[in-house]
Amino acid sequence: AQSVAQPEDQVNVAEGNPLTVKCTYSVSGNPYLFWYVQYPNRGLQFLLKYITGDNLVKGSYGFEAEFNKSQTSFHLKKPSALVSDSALYFCAVSPDISNFGNEKLTFGTGTRLTIIP
Amino acid sequence: DVKVTQSSRYLVKRTGEKVFLECVQDMDHENMFWYRQDPGLGLRLIYFSYDVKMKEKGDIPEGYSVSREKKERFSLILESASTNQTSMYLCASSLFTAGGVDTQYFGPGTRLTVL
């Protein structure tokens, strides 16, 4: 069975500083990895995904994530945080083998990111 | 842009009522999903569907059923609502991709309160 861990419920970062939101995963075979963001009273918005290829993935709003197979991690990063980045962030994983009944993502419990002006 | 809409943003129902949550997507996606979101628990998959009239149980299907009569519409049904079903319900859709999971696109959510 696949699983995702987001070890920090809350991350506070000063505006302008770099930010990291951590994610580790467990899955059979190679992973498909995703990051989503949720603003207050909204649905989830797709940020970026790793399928294969370059370990550094660039996504929306200046975010990027680094896939590290040996550490089974997929941390979300941004070089300079904005107040508008304050939101709830979810990491998700799926194995790369598709068959009926396996078309699904497993989500982490979320990390609330607060950017302090 | 993909658009996923849900019939209500907020819903208040009484214990024992039958509740219908509707979801519509406009991008001809094969896959549709229903999740519930609870603080500290993240998103948990209730049911998903990979084709019209097809459905698969997710991780927490108890107390729920679904219907997919048309490709663009996926309904979640609470046969007899209970207070522990008070939650945020999120619908999502994605293309079918052989070999893995494609990006899921989410609706705005329905916050259901069962009194």
Side-chain angles (χ1 to χ4, degrees), chain A residues 43-44, chain B residues 6 33-35 37 43 88-92 106-109:
Chain A
L44 273 68
Chain B
Q6 296 184 228
F33 308 82
W34 275 107
Y35 295 89
Q37 181 183 4
L43 273 72
M88 170 72 92
Y89 290 87
L90 293 168
C91 175
F106 284 81

Side-chain angles (χ1 to χ4, degrees), chain A residues 21-35:
Chain A
V21 182
K22 295 179 181 177
C23 171
T24 59
Y25 66 90
S26 174
V27 71
S28 299
N30 295 317
Y32 284 12
L33 293 156
F34 297 78
W35 275 102

